[in-house]
Amino acid sequence: MRIALCGGTGDIGEGLALRWAYDTDHEVLIGSRDPEKARTKAQEYETELDSRGVDRTVKGFANEMAADRADVVVLAVPPYYVRDTVEGFAGRLDGDTVLVSPAVGMQRDDAGLHYHPPSEGSVTAVAAAAAPDEVAVVGAFHNLSAGRLANLDVELDQDTLLVGDDEDAVDIVRMLAAEIEGLRPLYAGPVANAAEIESLTPLLINLAKYNDELHDAGVQFG
Ligand SMILES: NC(=O)c1ccc[n+]([C@@H]2O[C@H](COP(=O)([O-])OP(=O)(O)OC[C@H]3O[C@@H](n4cnc5c(N)ncnc54)[C@H](OP(=O)(O)O)[C@@H]3O)[C@@H](O)[C@H]2O)c1
């Protein structure tokens, strides 16, 4: 599979890019608003993998080009820009492309972070509304710590919750998530259930703020 990480120059994009490149044979494309920045970051990721004896090619492109080439497109951008990012390449997506939304709307005050969903109910729903009708959207990876993902020395040992209305698309993302060592995907229902998953992320960040030992915390169910 060819996986594009739009905004793959940022934290969660880096973590997912490194894990997929390290643990799988899927092709990883880094997307950015600035193709030069994407190429520079892609080279950094290659260098990191090379230092661990893994010879992988990671390519960088403008977001639109990366999305155009990919089977699966992860929207690894801040929540407020998810709609514009999808609309920026919607015309280039075909019906087989799967969009993945890890984004979470949050607001910060002195106490910590608070869930702040958009009027659509969740950022996953925003992505679904912005995507062409024939393109399926799956919410995933919301509750993972980018720092933990990007540190390949650390065993993940975490769950990731998936939401999506299209069974085939959910199966594809479930397979890609399961191929990351130490990550267990769990299906949590249709996109209408995304807010419950997204709202766990500020809780995890608040736990990290008040408990040193929970830095980079995630979720595990059982
Ligand atoms: N960080 C985490 O631990 C974590 C965990 C789970 C989920 N998430 C979610 O994943 C998403 C990305 O988080 P992050 O921490 O990786 O964010 P980030 O590092 O702040 O940003 C990711 C990328 O978004 C792009 N970007 C910034 N402003 C943009 C704009 N106006 N329009 C389009 N793209 C823009 C940038 O790429 P270019 O400048 O290269 O275009 C940037 O590198 C967020 O929605 C967050 O809620 C994050």
Side-chain angles (χ1 to χ4, degrees):
M1 287 235 154
R2 214 179 245 174
I3 309 167
L5 293 144
C6 292
T9 52
D11 295 336
I12 191 85
E14 173 173 5
L16 289 170
L18 288 175
R19 291 281 173 172
W20 273 319
Y22 192 68
D23 288 338
T24 79
D25 291 329
H26 299 299
E27 200 176 330
V28 175
L29 311 182
I30 303 305
S32 168
R33 290 166 295 172
D34 171 2
E36 196 48 47
K37 182 177 171 187
R39 284 192 280 274
T40 302
K41 276 290 181 182
Q43 259 169 13
E44 276 179 36
Y45 303 162
E46 280 186 357
T47 303
E48 168 67 14
L49 293 159
D50 191 52
S51 74
R52 294 163 182 279
V54 177
D55 181 19
R56 286 297 307 268
T57 302
V58 181
K59 291 185 184 154
F61 298 95
N63 281 332
E64 298 77 13
M65 291 291 288
D68 189 20
R69 287 158 190 251
D71 304 300
V72 173
V73 180
V74 181
L75 303 162
V77 299
Y80 340 97
Y81 309 124
V82 164
R83 184 194 313 276
D84 282 356
T85 301
V86 175
E87 287 175 355
F89 52 64
R92 294 173 178 243
L93 302 174
D94 62 45
D96 295 335
T97 315
V98 177
L99 289 185
V100 179
S101 176
V104 176
M106 293 181 281
Q107 275 183 339
R108 188 186 296 275
D109 65 15
D110 288 346
L113 282 169
H114 306 281
Y115 185 49
H116 184 67
S119 56
E120 288 81 350
S122 69
V123 183
T124 310
V126 168
D133 287 348
E134 68 278 15
V135 173
V137 173
V138 175
F141 311 121
H142 303 96
N143 309 137
L144 296 178
S145 147
R148 196 175 175 105
L149 271 176
N151 184 351
L152 297 174
D153 292 328
V154 174
E155 170 77 9
L156 279 180
D157 229 5
Q158 289 184 349
D159 293 337
T160 186
L161 303 171
L162 312 185
V163 284
D165 299 342
D166 182 296
E167 207 176 309
D168 293 340
V170 169
D171 281 346
I172 288 171
V173 180
R174 192 202 316 263
M175 183 267 290
L176 291 177
E179 286 180 336
I180 294 178
E181 221 178 297
L183 192 61
R184 180 177 66 158
L186 295 171
Y187 182 55
V191 169
N193 292 351
E196 283 69 29
I197 297 172
E198 294 179 10
S199 67
L200 293 177
T201 299
L203 170 65
L204 291 168
I205 297 171
N206 292 338
L207 284 168
K209 174 180 164 90
Y210 292 109
N211 301 270
D212 284 345
E213 72 278 19
L214 291 181
H215 187 63
D216 286 342
V219 293
Q220 255 190 335
F221 295 88

